[in-house]
Amino acid sequence: MIIAGEINRIEDWYYKAGPKDKDSQWKDDYSAKEFAKLWFTKSEDLKVPNEIRELVERNFGKFDVLFAFPEHITKLDGFSGGHRNHDMFSFCKKQNSEDFVICIEAKVAEPLDMTIGEKIKSVEKKDSSKIPLRIKGMQNMLNMENKNIDNLRYQLFTGTVGTINECKKYNNIDGLFLILQIMPKRNENEKISSNLSDIKSFLNENNAETLYEDEKSLLSKIHSKEQNINMYLGYLRIQEA
């Protein structure tokens, strides 16, 4: 596989696709570094982590990653600023030659951003903010116009819609938005459990079709206005590299 930007070693990732605040965020047991470490074997050869490959192949079959971009930005709509930043965007090809995309959000103990209610409240005194309109647009795209979404996590909307927009960019191919829960050595069980609960609440309000679920993963088919796109949301719990 090829990671754009000439990223061939973990050190390359740090300098070319690391977090904005490298001193405080690039640490063992924190998502930016732990996610990067997963893609390198001990010999530092680039490789799709086995757990991710197994999860994806359950639904898409055997595949190859043709190219990937860490810290990839996708426009959510026509408004300026605040678009979707994927921890990893991958363009893939199945054995039957069909293309699909995988967009990944990696977490250790961080929440999936604010709730929708908190997000709207955070900009209520900013008359110029387009956040409420952006939220309505995402809500509409995901067939959730009549749902009470105040307690759902904002990042689940941006990640799902951002992945759909990438699918549209490549002629309505299939897409997977994958939330990767990296299990830390420190005890963060409460926060980890909260993330999974938030994901299930989002899927429930979307009336997503559960394809399977086990103790460390799930995969659901998302409902959206984009009828020509097969869109999936996955969750995978994985140990640190």
Side-chain angles (χ1 to χ4, degrees):
M1 62 174 288
I2 298 173
I3 295 184
E6 298 183 352
I7 295 175
N8 300 304
R9 303 175 304 154
I10 192 76
E11 291 83 0
D12 298 333
W13 195 306
Y14 171 80
Y15 287 110
K16 299 178 180 181
K20 291 180 180 179
D21 188 349
K22 291 182 172 62
D23 289 338
S24 65
Q25 295 178 296
W26 189 263
K27 296 180 179 179
D28 292 335
D29 250 8
Y30 288 81
S31 61
K33 186 175 182 180
E34 294 301 335
F35 180 62
K37 285 160 61 177
L38 292 173
W39 296 83
F40 294 90
T41 63
K42 291 182 180 179
S43 63
E44 294 202 335
D45 293 329
L46 278 167
K47 179 184 176 184
V48 177
N50 290 335
E51 295 91 341
I52 294 178
R53 180 170 289 281
E54 290 170 5
L55 174 70
V56 174
E57 288 183 350
R58 289 182 189 179
N59 183 69
F60 293 97
K62 299 289 185 181
F63 72 100
D64 292 312
V65 175
L66 301 188
F67 56 87
F69 296 91
E71 299 298 323
H72 179 68
I73 296 176
T74 303
K75 289 199 68 169
L76 292 171
D77 46 45
F79 303 126
S80 61
H83 294 287
R84 168 64 186 163
N85 191 321
H86 305 286
D87 288 330
M88 175 74 85
F89 164 83
S90 300
F91 187 88
C92 309
K93 186 176 286 292
K94 307 174 192 176
Q95 282 192 332
N96 65 5
S97 295
E98 292 180 0
D99 299 325
F100 68 102
V101 300
I102 304 173
C103 296
I104 299 177
E105 177 66 32
K107 298 294 185 186
V108 171
E110 310 92 335
L112 290 154
D113 208 334
M114 302 179 188
T115 64
I116 293 293
E118 290 168 342
K119 195 73 174 180
I120 291 175
K121 187 174 182 179
S122 73
V123 299
E124 64 184 3
K125 294 182 180 179
K126 301 177 182 178
D127 294 338
S128 62
S129 175
K130 304 301 182 184
I131 289 294
L133 291 175
R134 171 168 287 163
I135 289 170
K136 283 189 177 297
M138 294 190 295
Q139 189 175 9
N140 179 66
M141 179 181 278
L142 297 176
N143 287 328
M144 296 167 71
E145 303 97 321
N146 300 317
K147 301 287 188 175
N148 182 351
I149 64 171
D150 284 355
N151 292 321
L152 303 183
R153 292 286 174 176
Y154 183 71
Q155 205 166 51
L156 293 171
F157 284 85
T158 60
T160 303
V161 171
T163 304
I164 290 173
N165 285 350
E166 289 292 342
C167 295
K168 291 165 66 176
K169 186 187 302 183
Y170 292 98
N171 299 316
N172 296 331
I173 60 179
D174 292 351
L176 169 65
F177 173 43
L178 176 62
I179 298 105
L180 187 65
Q181 179 68 68
I182 303 171
M183 301 298 288
K185 294 182 176 67
R186 65 187 192 277
N187 187 357
E188 298 285 3
N189 289 336
E190 183 177 343
K191 294 177 182 178
I192 290 166
S193 298
S194 177
N195 280 347
L196 181 55
S197 176
D198 288 334
I199 291 166
K200 289 184 176 181
S201 295
F202 173 82
L203 292 172
N204 183 60
E205 293 300 328
N206 177 259
N207 295 319
E209 176 187 353
T210 300
L211 301 181
Y212 68 83
E213 180 179 355
D214 58 30
E215 62 181 12
K216 70 172 185 177
S217 64
L218 63 81
L219 185 69
S220 294
K221 187 171 183 181
I222 295 289
H223 290 152
S224 81
K225 290 286 194 286
E226 302 298 330
Q227 297 297 318
N228 295 323
I229 294 172
N230 292 313
M231 176 64 203
Y232 303 87
L233 187 148
Y235 167 86
L236 176 62
R237 194 167 69 239
I238 189 172
Q239 295 297 320
E240 290 181 352

